[in-house]
Amino acid sequence: MALGEFDLIARYFTREARKAALGIGDDCALLAPAAGMQIAVSSDMLVEGRHFLSTVAADRLGHKSLAVNLSDLAACGAKPLAFTLALAMPRVDEAFLEGFSRGLFALADAQGCELVGGDTTQGPLTISITVFGEVPAGVALLRSGARAGDDLYVSGQLGDARLALEVFRGSAGIDAAVVDEVRGAMELPQPRVALGMALRGIARSAIDVSDGLLGDLSHLLRRSAVGATIEVDALPRSAALRRQSIAWQRLCTLAGGDDYELAFSAAPADAGRVAEAAQRAGVAVTRIGRIDPEPGLRLLDAQGATVANDFASFDHFRS
C-alpha cells in the first residue's frame, strides 16, 4: 500500500529536535535564539522544469534545495539554525524520497541546521524551504552598506552552472572529462556560510549571486545608492569555461545564474582582513572591481576598454 502523507513524513523527514525547543509534531516549532542574537529568515522555492531538470538525481536535488537557502544566510553573515520544508509531489515515490531526504540531511547535518516542520501535498514537483539563522545584533551583512571607493569581491568561481545548462541544451560543447565537474556546479552548489560569518565586521555590503552577477549586484547598488565598475576579465572562472569563446565566458560569468557565491564590498584598507577571512573559511575570493559614487554598472575589459552591458540576468517572469 502506498504511503500516506503522515507516513512519509514520519519515515523520511521526522527527526528528534537537538537545538530547537520544539521540532516536528506540533502546529508550530519553537526556536530559542541565544542572547544578543537576531534571527535571519529566508525562503526559496524550486519548481521542476524552472529551477532544476527532471533528470537531476534525487540526492542532489535535496542538497540544492537547502543550499540555495543557506546561501542567503551566508550573504547575511548568519549561522544556520533550522529550516522548514514544504514539498509537493505528483505521487509518493519512495525511491525519490529516500534520495532527496538523504541529500537534504547530509547538508543540513554538515551545517548544523535541523528540520523543524513543514508540509506536504500532491501537485507538480515543487520544493519550498524557509531557513532560520542567527547573527549577533547589529553585525548582519546587508545590501545597503556599500560606499564609494570600496573594493568589490566575489567568492569561488562564476559561470560553470550556466555552462552546464547550455551543455544540456546543446548550445555549448565541452570535453566529456569535465562534464561532471560543471554539472556539479549546477546541481551541488556549496553555500559560503563560513565565509559570510568570517566577513562580519569586514564586508560593508554583501549579496548572494543566484540570478547572475550583474542582476544581483544591481540590487545591492540600488540599496546602497551607489554604482560600480566591474573588470570583466578578472572574474574568476574554471579552466573548462576559459576554453569557451570570450562571448560565452562573459555571458556565463556576468549573467549565468545558479552560482550561489557571495559578492561583497569592503574598504581597500581592509584587503588584508578580507584575505584572512577567506583563508579561515577555505574559500578563494577575487577582487573584481570597485564601488563608484555615480549610479549604474560599468564594465571594462583587461585593456580598460568599455564592454557593452547588454546582459540580462534571470527573472522568474521574464526569462
Side-chain angles (χ1 to χ4, degrees):
M1 182 178 294
L3 290 180
E5 175 182 2
F6 299 105
D7 297 320
L8 75 85
I9 292 172
R11 178 172 299 184
Y12 294 105
F13 297 110
T14 299
R15 286 179 159 192
E16 183 177 352
R18 292 168 293 175
K19 295 188 295 184
L22 182 67
I24 293 173
D26 271 73
D27 290 307
C28 293
L30 299 176
L31 304 181
M37 293 290 185
Q38 292 179 319
I39 296 295
V41 184
S42 182
S43 295
D44 267 300
M45 182 185 299
L46 299 181
V47 179
E48 184 179 28
R50 190 62 171 163
H51 300 97
F52 59 90
L53 301 175
S54 61
T55 55
V56 65
D59 59 333
R60 291 189 167 205
L61 182 57
H63 171 102
K64 183 172 183 177
S65 298
L66 181 58
V68 302
N69 285 268
L70 292 175
S71 186
D72 287 329
L73 291 186
C76 196
K79 178 182 178 181
L81 288 178
F83 68 100
T84 61
L85 166 68
L87 175 64
M89 298 177 294
R91 59 184 177 83
V92 174
D93 182 337
E94 292 199 57
F96 169 82
L97 288 166
E98 191 282 325
F100 180 86
S101 60
R102 175 163 35 86
L104 180 82
F105 284 126
L107 180 58
D109 291 345
Q111 294 290 342
C113 191
E114 60 184 357
L115 178 62
V116 295
D119 195 15
T120 59
T121 191
Q122 187 175 36
L125 184 55
T126 304
I127 304 120
S128 182
I129 285 179
T130 297
V131 71
F132 304 87
E134 64 178 9
V135 60
V139 303
L141 305 180
L142 305 176
R143 299 177 180 184
S144 55
R147 303 178 192 173
D150 281 359
D151 288 329
L152 264 177
Y153 296 87
V154 73
S155 65
Q157 295 180 333
L158 301 175
D160 273 0
R162 177 61 180 268
L163 179 59
L165 179 61
E166 297 302 334
V167 169
F168 284 114
R169 287 173 170 173
S171 303
I174 60 175
D175 295 337
V178 296
V179 169
D180 287 343
E181 178 183 337
V182 298
R183 183 171 185 169
M186 180 173 68
E187 297 177 348
L188 292 170
Q190 301 303 311
R192 304 305 190 185
V193 173
L195 178 62
M197 294 172 63
L199 288 171
R200 294 173 184 169
I202 302 173
R204 284 176 166 167
S205 65
I207 191 169
D208 92 308
V209 181
S210 55
D211 296 330
L213 177 66
L214 295 185
D216 290 318
L217 267 181
S218 68
H219 301 314
L220 183 152
L221 298 178
R222 278 196 296 271
R223 292 296 297 271
S224 295
V226 292
T229 297
I230 307 297
E231 300 164 11
V232 298
D233 294 329
L235 296 176
R237 68 206 75 180
S238 68
L241 185 51
R242 287 184 183 277
R243 287 193 288 271
Q244 303 298 310
S245 68
I246 289 295
W248 270 113
Q249 290 183 49
R250 289 177 177 172
L251 173 66
C252 291
T253 55
L254 290 168
D258 258 10
D259 296 300
Y260 299 103
E261 297 291 351
L262 296 186
F264 61 95
S265 72
D270 285 330
R273 298 176 69 199
V274 169
E276 291 170 1
Q279 185 175 28
R280 289 198 308 273
V283 179
V285 300
T286 303
R287 183 189 177 279
I288 61 168
R290 68 175 184 271
I291 297 293
D292 301 325
E294 304 86 7
L297 265 169
R298 289 155 288 278
L299 309 180
L300 301 178
D301 66 15
Q303 287 71 47
T306 298
V307 175
N309 187 358
D310 53 6
F311 301 93
S313 292
F314 183 77
D315 183 300
H316 287 89
F317 293 99
R318 292 178 175 172
S319 299

Short mmCIF file of all heavy atoms in Angstrom, two decimals, residues 132-164:
data_model
loop_
_atom_site.label_atom_id
_atom_site.label_comp_id
_atom_site.label_asym_id
_atom_site.label_seq_id
_atom_site.Cartn_x
_atom_site.Cartn_y
_atom_site.Cartn_z
N PHE A 132 16.20 29.44 8.91
CA PHE A 132 16.37 30.36 10.04
C PHE A 132 17.83 30.31 10.50
O PHE A 132 18.40 29.23 10.63
CB PHE A 132 15.46 29.96 11.21
CG PHE A 132 14.00 29.87 10.85
CD1 PHE A 132 13.48 28.70 10.33
CD2 PHE A 132 13.17 30.97 11.01
CE1 PHE A 132 12.13 28.61 9.97
CE2 PHE A 132 11.83 30.89 10.66
CZ PHE A 132 11.31 29.71 10.14
N GLY A 133 18.39 31.48 10.73
CA GLY A 133 19.75 31.56 11.24
C GLY A 133 19.83 32.61 12.32
O GLY A 133 18.86 33.33 12.59
N GLU A 134 20.99 32.72 12.94
CA GLU A 134 21.18 33.75 13.95
C GLU A 134 22.47 34.52 13.69
O GLU A 134 23.44 33.98 13.17
CB GLU A 134 21.19 33.14 15.36
CG GLU A 134 22.32 32.19 15.65
CD GLU A 134 22.29 31.66 17.08
OE1 GLU A 134 21.30 31.89 17.80
OE2 GLU A 134 23.27 31.00 17.48
N VAL A 135 22.42 35.79 14.03
CA VAL A 135 23.56 36.68 13.82
C VAL A 135 23.56 37.68 14.97
O VAL A 135 22.49 38.14 15.40
CB VAL A 135 23.47 37.37 12.44
CG1 VAL A 135 22.22 38.22 12.32
CG2 VAL A 135 24.71 38.19 12.15
N PRO A 136 24.74 38.01 15.50
CA PRO A 136 24.77 38.99 16.59
C PRO A 136 24.11 40.30 16.18
O PRO A 136 24.27 40.77 15.05
CB PRO A 136 26.27 39.19 16.85
CG PRO A 136 26.90 37.91 16.40
CD PRO A 136 26.09 37.47 15.22
N ALA A 137 23.34 40.88 17.08
CA ALA A 137 22.62 42.11 16.78
C ALA A 137 23.57 43.20 16.30
O ALA A 137 24.62 43.44 16.90
CB ALA A 137 21.86 42.59 18.02
N GLY A 138 23.21 43.81 15.18
CA GLY A 138 23.96 44.94 14.68
C GLY A 138 25.12 44.62 13.76
O GLY A 138 25.77 45.53 13.25
N VAL A 139 25.39 43.32 13.50
CA VAL A 139 26.55 42.98 12.66
C VAL A 139 26.16 42.22 11.40
O VAL A 139 27.03 41.80 10.64
CB VAL A 139 27.63 42.19 13.44
CG1 VAL A 139 28.08 42.97 14.66
CG2 VAL A 139 27.12 40.81 13.83
N ALA A 140 24.89 42.05 11.13
CA ALA A 140 24.47 41.34 9.92
C ALA A 140 24.99 42.05 8.67
O ALA A 140 25.03 43.28 8.60
CB ALA A 140 22.95 41.24 9.85
N LEU A 141 25.41 41.28 7.68
CA LEU A 141 25.82 41.84 6.40
C LEU A 141 24.55 42.20 5.62
O LEU A 141 23.62 41.40 5.54
CB LEU A 141 26.64 40.83 5.61
CG LEU A 141 27.87 40.25 6.31
CD1 LEU A 141 28.59 39.27 5.38
CD2 LEU A 141 28.82 41.36 6.74
N LEU A 142 24.53 43.38 5.04
CA LEU A 142 23.34 43.87 4.34
C LEU A 142 23.72 44.32 2.93
O LEU A 142 24.89 44.53 2.62
CB LEU A 142 22.72 45.05 5.10
CG LEU A 142 22.36 44.81 6.57
CD1 LEU A 142 21.86 46.11 7.19
CD2 LEU A 142 21.32 43.70 6.70
N ARG A 143 22.71 44.50 2.10
CA ARG A 143 22.93 45.03 0.75
C ARG A 143 23.17 46.53 0.77
O ARG A 143 23.66 47.08 -0.22
CB ARG A 143 21.72 44.73 -0.14
CG ARG A 143 21.42 43.26 -0.32
CD ARG A 143 20.17 43.07 -1.17
NE ARG A 143 19.85 41.65 -1.37
CZ ARG A 143 18.85 41.21 -2.12
NH1 ARG A 143 18.06 42.08 -2.74
NH2 ARG A 143 18.63 39.91 -2.24
N SER A 144 22.85 47.19 1.85
CA SER A 144 22.76 48.65 1.86
C SER A 144 24.01 49.36 2.37
O SER A 144 23.99 50.58 2.53
CB SER A 144 21.56 49.07 2.71
OG SER A 144 21.65 48.52 4.01
N GLY A 145 25.11 48.66 2.60
CA GLY A 145 26.25 49.31 3.25
C GLY A 145 27.40 49.69 2.35
O GLY A 145 28.42 50.22 2.83
N ALA A 146 27.32 49.44 1.04
CA ALA A 146 28.45 49.74 0.15
C ALA A 146 28.71 51.24 0.09
O ALA A 146 27.77 52.04 0.07
CB ALA A 146 28.17 49.20 -1.25
N ARG A 147 29.99 51.61 0.02
CA ARG A 147 30.38 53.01 -0.05
C ARG A 147 31.31 53.23 -1.24
O ARG A 147 32.11 52.36 -1.60
CB ARG A 147 31.11 53.43 1.23
CG ARG A 147 30.32 53.22 2.50
CD ARG A 147 31.13 53.61 3.73
NE ARG A 147 30.50 53.15 4.96
CZ ARG A 147 31.07 53.25 6.16
NH1 ARG A 147 32.26 53.81 6.27
NH2 ARG A 147 30.44 52.80 7.23
N ALA A 148 31.23 54.42 -1.83
CA ALA A 148 32.12 54.76 -2.94
C ALA A 148 33.57 54.56 -2.53
O ALA A 148 33.97 54.98 -1.43
CB ALA A 148 31.87 56.20 -3.38
N GLY A 149 34.32 53.93 -3.40
CA GLY A 149 35.72 53.64 -3.10
C GLY A 149 35.97 52.24 -2.60
O GLY A 149 37.12 51.76 -2.60
N ASP A 150 34.91 51.53 -2.16
CA ASP A 150 35.07 50.15 -1.73
C ASP A 150 35.59 49.28 -2.86
O ASP A 150 35.28 49.51 -4.04
CB ASP A 150 33.73 49.56 -1.27
CG ASP A 150 33.33 49.99 0.12
OD1 ASP A 150 34.10 50.73 0.77
OD2 ASP A 150 32.23 49.59 0.57
N ASP A 151 36.33 48.25 -2.50
CA ASP A 151 36.66 47.19 -3.45
C ASP A 151 35.49 46.22 -3.53
O ASP A 151 34.79 45.97 -2.54
CB ASP A 151 37.91 46.42 -2.99
CG ASP A 151 39.19 47.22 -3.14
OD1 ASP A 151 39.26 48.05 -4.07
OD2 ASP A 151 40.11 47.02 -2.33
N LEU A 152 35.28 45.66 -4.71
CA LEU A 152 34.25 44.64 -4.93
C LEU A 152 34.92 43.27 -5.07
O LEU A 152 35.92 43.14 -5.79
CB LEU A 152 33.46 44.93 -6.20
CG LEU A 152 32.14 45.68 -6.08
CD1 LEU A 152 31.57 45.92 -7.47
CD2 LEU A 152 31.14 44.89 -5.23
N TYR A 153 34.35 42.28 -4.41
CA TYR A 153 34.89 40.93 -4.44
C TYR A 153 33.79 39.93 -4.80
O TYR A 153 32.59 40.20 -4.61
CB TYR A 153 35.43 40.52 -3.07
CG TYR A 153 36.60 41.32 -2.56
CD1 TYR A 153 36.40 42.49 -1.83
CD2 TYR A 153 37.91 40.88 -2.76
CE1 TYR A 153 37.46 43.22 -1.33
CE2 TYR A 153 38.99 41.61 -2.26
CZ TYR A 153 38.76 42.76 -1.55
OH TYR A 153 39.82 43.48 -1.04
N VAL A 154 34.23 38.76 -5.24
CA VAL A 154 33.31 37.63 -5.38
C VAL A 154 34.05 36.38 -4.92
O VAL A 154 35.28 36.28 -5.06
CB VAL A 154 32.81 37.48 -6.84
CG1 VAL A 154 33.91 36.95 -7.76
CG2 VAL A 154 31.58 36.59 -6.90
N SER A 155 33.31 35.45 -4.34
CA SER A 155 33.91 34.20 -3.87
C SER A 155 33.89 33.15 -4.97
O SER A 155 33.12 33.22 -5.93
CB SER A 155 33.15 33.67 -2.65
OG SER A 155 31.82 33.32 -3.00
N GLY A 156 34.76 32.15 -4.83
CA GLY A 156 34.74 30.98 -5.70
C GLY A 156 34.93 31.30 -7.16
O GLY A 156 35.72 32.16 -7.55
N GLN A 157 34.17 30.58 -8.00
CA GLN A 157 34.20 30.77 -9.45
C GLN A 157 32.78 31.00 -9.96
O GLN A 157 31.81 30.53 -9.35
CB GLN A 157 34.80 29.55 -10.14
CG GLN A 157 36.27 29.32 -9.82
CD GLN A 157 36.83 28.10 -10.53
OE1 GLN A 157 36.10 27.17 -10.85
NE2 GLN A 157 38.13 28.12 -10.78
N LEU A 158 32.68 31.70 -11.07
CA LEU A 158 31.38 32.01 -11.66
C LEU A 158 31.23 31.31 -13.01
O LEU A 158 32.21 31.09 -13.72
CB LEU A 158 31.23 33.52 -11.87
CG LEU A 158 31.34 34.41 -10.64
CD1 LEU A 158 31.29 35.88 -11.07
CD2 LEU A 158 30.24 34.11 -9.64
N GLY A 159 30.00 30.99 -13.36
CA GLY A 159 29.68 30.61 -14.72
C GLY A 159 29.56 29.14 -15.04
O GLY A 159 28.98 28.78 -16.08
N ASP A 160 30.07 28.24 -14.19
CA ASP A 160 30.03 26.82 -14.54
C ASP A 160 28.61 26.26 -14.55
O ASP A 160 28.29 25.38 -15.36
CB ASP A 160 30.89 26.00 -13.58
CG ASP A 160 32.34 25.93 -14.03
OD1 ASP A 160 32.67 26.53 -15.07
OD2 ASP A 160 33.15 25.29 -13.33
N ALA A 161 27.75 26.74 -13.67
CA ALA A 161 26.37 26.24 -13.65
C ALA A 161 25.66 26.60 -14.95
O ALA A 161 24.94 25.78 -15.53
CB ALA A 161 25.62 26.81 -12.45
N ARG A 162 25.87 27.83 -15.43
CA ARG A 162 25.26 28.22 -16.70
C ARG A 162 25.87 27.44 -17.86
O ARG A 162 25.16 27.05 -18.80
CB ARG A 162 25.44 29.72 -16.92
CG ARG A 162 24.91 30.23 -18.27
CD ARG A 162 23.39 30.00 -18.41
NE ARG A 162 22.89 30.49 -19.68
CZ ARG A 162 22.40 31.72 -19.87
NH1 ARG A 162 22.38 32.60 -18.86
NH2 ARG A 162 21.94 32.10 -21.04
N LEU A 163 27.17 27.20 -17.80
CA LEU A 163 27.81 26.40 -18.84
C LEU A 163 27.21 25.00 -18.89
O LEU A 163 26.92 24.47 -19.97
CB LEU A 163 29.32 26.32 -18.60
CG LEU A 163 30.13 25.49 -19.60
CD1 LEU A 163 29.96 26.01 -21.03
CD2 LEU A 163 31.60 25.49 -19.20
N ALA A 164 26.98 24.41 -17.72
CA ALA A 164 26.36 23.08 -17.67
C ALA A 164 24.97 23.10 -18.28
O ALA A 164 24.59 22.19 -19.03
CB ALA A 164 26.30 22.58 -16.22
#
